[in-house]
Amino acid sequence: MANPSLLILAGDGIGPEVMTEVKKIIAWFGDKRGVHFDVSEDLVGGCAYDQHGTPLHDKTMARAMEVDAVLLGAVGGPKYDNLDFSVKPERGLLRLRKEMDLFSNLRPAQCFDALADFSSLKKDIIAGLDIMIVRELTSGVYFGEPRGIFPDNEGGRVGINTQRYTTNEIRRVARSAFELAKRRNNKVHSMEKANVMESGILWREEVQWVHDNEYPEVELHHMYADNGAMQLVRWPKQFDVIVTDNLFGDVLSDTAAMLTGSLGMLPSASLGAPQANGRPKALYEPVHGSAPDIAGQGKANPIACILSFAMALRYSFDMGDEATRVEKAIEKVLADGARTADLMDKEGGTPISTTQMGDVIIAALDASL
């Protein structure tokens, strides 16, 4: 069989730095586990604009459609703030999501024991947290028509955005959540605002339909999204998989992200429909963004990007055991006290560099053998 194919788009800011450490992990799998990937690299975001005058070249987009998975670093930076909206670095990422039809965004929020004190919540509330938010990514209020700013009848203006969902859009992301739950603890919470929004009523009814007709063995709970936000900071460990729409998913996933204490620890996956080989269209990326204030200084935490690769192992390549190996290696180095600058506690100490963190994770992978 052909090797799995990966397209690496390191992007801007700290993207190339953290991606360098991921490439070490990929090489380790080839050298030590006999797991080889066909890796190609290209540009996205500001660096693509500098080279091609567009944040994503058509040839890069075509390559992204061909490979088994895309691994992205970060896009954007102050250098590009004054560009026209149509060519801002973020448009490259949005184009990838749209044309690959990546409708299911997976945002895990996991608290490693060694970092439980970094959360703003009490340790007993956050220790051992491991939840997954599934956000619908390609529809809803961010894409619905009509939208825009228009003159009103009173000499002012009116801003309009339309929340719109179809049966198919809801059912396919619900299936994604139920499939994840079957791999985890068999429990899904669906969050919407069915009390005040017709789209919320439809969301609740369609998620219930998928449950009753296709996944009756999975425990399903419905919850209003505002109550869900409150419950996330009251007792987050009551949840396992949360499925919600684009708008509420944006808010709830960022809320859950900060429960863990550092954006430098958080990966994500955006998945589409299965291809002919059974693998989904897929893009994996850290949550932290390009962090231009520390770019090039060796201060960036590569763990979120490495964990994004671990998600690729699990969800694109069906290598769950190897994904767990990576996660356990990270857990070990954190337990041993390895810290990049974002993970330093109030007592101080000397942080290790981006490269050093990659090296100690490689050492922990070696020890796992």
Side-chain angles (χ1 to χ4, degrees):
M1 293 179 63
N3 295 331
S5 57
L6 270 173
L7 173 61
I8 289 180
L9 303 174
D12 308 317
I14 63 172
E17 298 170 68
V18 296
M19 197 63 73
T20 294
E21 304 313 307
V22 176
K23 287 187 282 187
K24 289 186 198 174
I25 305 294
I26 294 172
W28 182 89
F29 271 98
D31 294 340
K32 301 296 179 70
R33 300 293 293 161
V35 178
H36 299 278
F37 297 88
D38 290 335
V39 178
S40 56
E41 298 189 52
D42 213 324
L43 305 176
V44 69
C47 58
Y49 177 82
D50 291 338
Q51 184 78 19
H52 303 297
T54 175
L56 187 71
H57 196 280
D58 289 345
K59 290 183 179 179
T60 312
M61 185 68 244
R63 181 61 181 149
M65 297 294 287
E66 295 170 353
V67 297
D68 293 318
V70 177
L71 191 58
L72 187 143
V75 296
K79 175 182 177 181
Y80 309 102
D81 286 348
N82 295 323
L83 289 179
D84 184 79
F85 181 76
S86 64
V87 291
K88 283 186 176 292
E90 294 76 12
R91 303 305 296 177
L93 174 57
L94 293 176
R95 183 183 176 190
L96 285 165
R97 290 173 176 172
K98 180 177 177 59
E99 295 193 21
M100 295 173 72
D101 197 18
L102 305 176
F103 60 84
S104 181
N105 181 230
L106 278 54
R107 288 276 296 268
Q110 181 180 9
C111 184
F112 291 95
D113 288 345
L115 300 180
D117 289 327
F118 280 77
S119 174
S120 56
L121 299 184
K122 295 177 181 177
K123 186 173 182 178
D124 64 312
I125 291 177
I126 207 68
L129 178 70
D130 182 7
I131 64 177
M132 179 73 77
I133 294 184
V134 180
R135 168 190 172 189
E136 198 289 321
L137 199 60
T138 58
S139 189
V141 74
Y142 293 164
F143 295 93
E145 298 287 347
R147 61 181 295 160
I149 300 174
F150 308 96
D152 64 16
N153 296 326
E154 300 175 353
R157 298 185 300 164
V158 56
I160 297 175
N161 291 92
T162 302
Q163 170 80 335
R164 179 185 183 278
Y165 271 106
T166 66
T167 290
N168 178 61
E169 289 169 342
I170 298 169
R171 288 186 182 182
R172 66 182 185 174
V173 76
R175 292 185 183 104
S176 179
F178 285 123
E179 287 291 337
L180 275 170
K182 288 172 63 177
R183 297 187 184 196
R184 293 169 55 93
N185 295 312
N186 228 39
K187 181 169 67 173
V188 171
H189 281 77
S190 175
M191 297 188 184
E192 25 60 15
K193 287 289 288 180
N195 54 338
V196 292
M197 298 172 67
E198 285 79 5
S199 61
I201 296 172
L202 181 67
W203 184 280
R204 181 172 291 212
E205 291 175 352
E206 296 296 351
V207 172
Q208 188 68 50
W209 187 94
V210 173
H211 171 267
D212 294 347
N213 289 276
E214 300 178 15
Y215 299 92
E217 73 280 11
V218 179
E219 183 181 339
L220 172 64
H221 303 270
H222 298 284
M223 185 175 286
Y224 297 142
D226 52 346
N227 181 39
M230 183 270 286
Q231 295 293 337
L232 271 173
V233 295
R234 187 187 74 85
W235 187 244
K237 285 186 281 189
Q238 69 184 281
F239 301 114
D240 183 42
V241 174
I242 295 171
V243 62
T244 188
D245 72 14
N246 206 343
L247 174 61
F248 296 135
D250 197 354
V251 176
L252 293 169
S253 61
D254 278 4
T255 301
M258 286 315 299
L259 299 179
T260 64
S262 174
L263 286 173
M265 294 294 300
L266 298 171
S268 75
S270 298
L271 307 180
Q275 303 175 84
N277 61 8
R279 293 171 178 157
K281 294 280 189 187
L283 183 148
Y284 300 89
E285 60 179 315
V287 173
H288 52 57
S290 63
D293 56 318
I294 61 169
Q297 301 175 38
K299 295 180 179 179
N301 184 349
I303 289 178
C305 204
I306 294 171
L307 287 172
S308 296
F309 173 65
M311 291 186 78
L313 291 174
R314 177 169 280 116
Y315 298 117
S316 281
F317 305 126
D318 198 25
M319 299 179 188
D321 290 343
E322 300 298 352
T324 299
R325 184 186 301 275
V326 174
E327 293 160 353
K328 292 293 185 183
I330 291 170
E331 185 175 15
K332 182 180 187 306
V333 301
L334 293 173
D336 290 345
R339 299 285 186 273
T340 44
D342 60 309
L343 302 178
M344 298 302 297
D345 58 28
K346 296 177 182 177
E347 297 178 1
T350 302
I352 64 175
S353 69
T354 308
T355 299
Q356 289 170 323
M357 179 61 85
D359 289 343
V360 296
I361 292 171
I362 290 290
L365 285 170
D366 285 336
S368 75
L369 301 177

